[in-house]
Every structure is written in structure tokens, then in C-alpha cells.
Amino acid sequence: MIVRRATPADIPEIVRLKALLMETGWPWPVAVSEDEDWRRRCAEAAEVLLARDTYACFVVDVDPLAGEGGSLAGCVSVAVEQHLPGPRGRGLSAYLSDMSTDVPHRGRGIGTALLDHALAWAREQGAGRIELHSTESGRRVYERAGFEADGPFRHLGRQLV
């Protein structure tokens, strides 16, 4: 299995895998098909993100010989952000997101391979910590890699628009 960095040619497949993740893995109902403009917005955002030095998307091709723009078996995104540092470290942290493996390719270690590459890249960028939100189906992969629920802070969120 070959894990590689995504390119703009992979955007249609990245969008497809993001839709699969939302429709089959999220803990609340998401109907991507009801928002006709979502795929375009998602593709535009992916193009912007792929151009950033602080963002990487890693992919596994269904056919390794097909290369960029072919069908993808899975993908994962990771971004590194600068924060004001605390007493330890440089204030760089990473956030892992959008891990998705296409249904026929699950159970073959693709998620683990993608995660390994994302973690290595985040370390290379100098991130001292990485966080994520996990679906129930992804929890085991992350726990095997050493992720755990921790800290005294409670995760909160709200819509702004």
C-alpha cells in the first residue's frame, strides 16, 4: 500500500470520501444530496487547503498505478496551527480530520497507514500535540495509535452562521 500526499487532481475523490464519511459515519443524520451546492463548496475549500503549507491531505489509491486523479481507497487531513505558547513547547498543535476509507477497502489497514503518515507529517511540522474528533467507527484505530480522552477541559461548540 502506498500513501501519498494529495494533489488538486484528487479533489473530486476527496469530496466523495468526505460525503461518505458524513453520510455513513457521523452520529447525526447528514443528507449531502439535499445540498446541491455542497460538493462545489467542498471542492473549492479543498483547493485552498491543499495550497497551504500548514495543511496536508494523505490518500491511498485504489490502483497504485493510476496515481493522481484516480479512485481513492481512503484519505485523511491534518492541519497545524500556531497558538500562543504555554510554558512548554512552541505553541504548535495539529488537528486531524476527515479520515475516511471507502467501504470495500475497510479492514485492510488503510486507516492506520493514513494515520501514521499524518502523525509523522505533524511531527515534522513541529506540532507538539495532535487532537481529533472521532466517530465511533474510527475510535479503535485512534486508540491503538495512543489517542485517549484526556484533560479537564470540556469540548464546546456553537454555530456562528
Side-chain angles (χ1 to χ4, degrees):
M1 166 183 343
I2 298 170
V3 177
R4 63 176 176 81
R5 190 119 176 228
T7 70
D10 297 310
I11 290 174
E13 280 290 286
I14 292 168
V15 171
R16 180 184 68 80
L17 289 169
K18 171 72 173 187
L20 175 69
L21 170 65
M22 291 189 303
E23 292 179 330
T24 65
W26 281 15
W28 55 83
V30 177
V32 172
S33 59
E34 292 178 11
D35 184 349
E36 295 177 11
D37 196 43
W38 174 81
R39 289 183 191 279
R40 179 192 59 76
R41 292 191 325 270
C42 189
E44 287 175 357
E47 189 170 351
V48 169
L49 288 168
L50 287 173
R52 291 184 179 167
D53 293 338
T54 57
Y55 174 89
C57 179
F58 294 96
V59 298
V60 172
D61 295 293
V62 170
D63 177 3
L65 300 178
E68 299 171 12
S71 295
L72 297 179
C75 68
V76 68
S77 298
V78 60
V80 174
E81 290 186 339
Q82 178 70 56
H83 304 277
L84 294 175
R88 300 181 316 179
R90 298 177 11 203
L92 289 171
S93 65
Y95 186 77
L96 188 111
S97 63
D98 299 327
M99 170 83 82
S100 182
T101 302
D102 205 354
V103 176
H105 304 284
R106 291 180 182 169
R108 298 181 185 175
I110 290 171
T112 299
L114 288 165
L115 179 58
D116 290 346
H117 276 75
L119 293 174
W121 182 84
R123 278 188 210 98
E124 289 168 10
Q125 305 313 302
R129 180 169 180 79
I130 190 165
E131 295 181 351
L132 58 84
H133 289 91
S134 175
T135 61
E136 187 56 35
S137 62
R139 187 173 52 82
R140 287 183 321 226
V141 170
Y142 301 125
E143 287 176 347
R144 283 195 308 263
F147 286 82
E148 57 189 13
D150 67 339
F153 295 106
R154 181 174 180 171
H155 178 260
L156 302 172
R158 70 167 273 195
Q159 289 297 118
L160 293 175
V161 290

